[in-house]
Amino acid sequence: MNGFEIRRENKMKDILNAALQLFSMRGIKNVSIAQIAKSANVSQVSIYNFFQSKENLARQAFYKMMDDIMSDGEDLIECNLSFKEKVNKMHFISSEASDKFSKIFNQIEFINDPLIKKFLDEYGENKTIPLFMKLIKQGKLEGDLDSDISSESILIYIHAINKALQSNLSIKIKSDLGKLFFYGLFGSGN
């Protein structure tokens, strides 16, 4: 990248980071483009040039947050911890992410936005499921997961949980579904 492209990229990152910070403190509806511009030390025109609208900026912030969380998950899966240790850490990452998303993005009808739905479907298929399949493979190798359960069955289960988590359920129910996903009916003490 040349100097112009690097500055442009850095300016977009500054805007996204400022937006996420302000959205998490005040909610999307209560933050103006002017406030984001001031926090990012850019002009409002720059924000509109890069993102076209506040709604699109919020979508891009959502995508960035997803990528940041996925990066943490990928780092975890690639580390040298046991399956059980990874599951515990993955549950923590998942719970933390769910809380963060609820605070920021439940204020707008993101889940019903066709662009968000498409993004989540593609993200699940291309990133989330392969990540979980690596974890499941490790669990089977270490004897913590039943090796007789087919990968297809596991994918159906992951898909069902993923769809449920994308719906308008309460935070408590989403948390419970996360526990069921990571620990099953017998809980984390098993």
Side-chain angles (χ1 to χ4, degrees), residues 5-178:
E5 291 169 332
I6 291 170
R7 284 189 302 279
R8 185 179 195 281
E9 190 73 26
N10 286 338
K11 193 180 280 192
M12 288 178 70
K13 285 179 185 176
D14 290 344
I15 294 167
L16 283 171
N17 288 331
L20 276 171
Q21 183 180 16
L22 290 169
F23 291 161
S24 67
M25 291 183 336
R26 301 181 189 149
I28 294 171
K29 292 179 183 177
N30 298 321
V31 175
S32 69
I33 291 292
Q35 292 168 322
I36 296 167
K38 182 178 179 183
S39 179
N41 200 25
V42 300
S43 71
Q44 292 182 49
V45 173
S46 291
I47 293 175
Y48 285 109
N49 284 339
F50 292 133
F51 300 100
Q52 292 75 45
S53 68
K54 183 175 151 184
E55 290 75 22
N56 193 49
L57 173 58
R59 274 189 214 98
Q60 295 303 317
F62 176 82
Y63 301 157
K64 179 189 181 318
M65 188 181 271
M66 287 288 292
D67 285 339
D68 291 348
I69 292 164
M70 181 56 67
S71 179
D72 290 345
E74 289 168 343
D75 291 346
L76 175 62
I77 296 302
E78 298 302 323
C79 78
N80 291 325
L81 295 174
S82 72
F83 171 76
K84 287 182 181 180
E85 290 170 316
K86 287 180 183 178
V87 166
N88 285 329
K89 287 186 181 259
M90 186 70 78
H91 181 250
F92 177 76
I93 289 170
S94 177
S95 295
E96 212 174 51
S98 180
D99 289 345
K100 201 179 234 186
F101 281 121
S102 294
K103 287 179 186 172
I104 299 173
F105 296 109
N106 275 354
Q107 299 159 12
I108 290 182
E109 292 293 323
F110 271 107
I111 302 305
N112 295 326
D113 181 336
L115 295 174
I116 295 297
K117 281 185 176 188
K118 181 180 181 208
F119 172 82
L120 288 172
D121 288 342
E122 290 174 1
Y123 209 85
E125 195 68 33
N126 298 322
K127 295 198 176 205
T128 308
I129 289 174
L131 186 73
F132 278 113
M133 290 310 292
K134 284 183 180 180
L135 183 62
I136 289 163
K137 182 178 179 182
Q138 180 182 353
K140 286 183 176 187
L141 288 172
E142 292 178 13
D144 292 317
L145 293 179
D146 187 340
S147 60
D148 290 335
I149 298 174
S150 71
S151 294
E152 183 180 73
S153 297
I154 294 169
L155 286 176
I156 290 169
Y157 178 70
I158 290 172
H159 182 71
I161 294 292
N162 188 37
K163 284 296 179 193
L165 291 174
Q166 290 178 28
S167 65
N168 292 327
L169 298 172
S170 72
I171 293 171
K172 168 70 172 132
I173 291 174
K174 286 183 180 185
S175 175
D176 288 349
L177 286 172

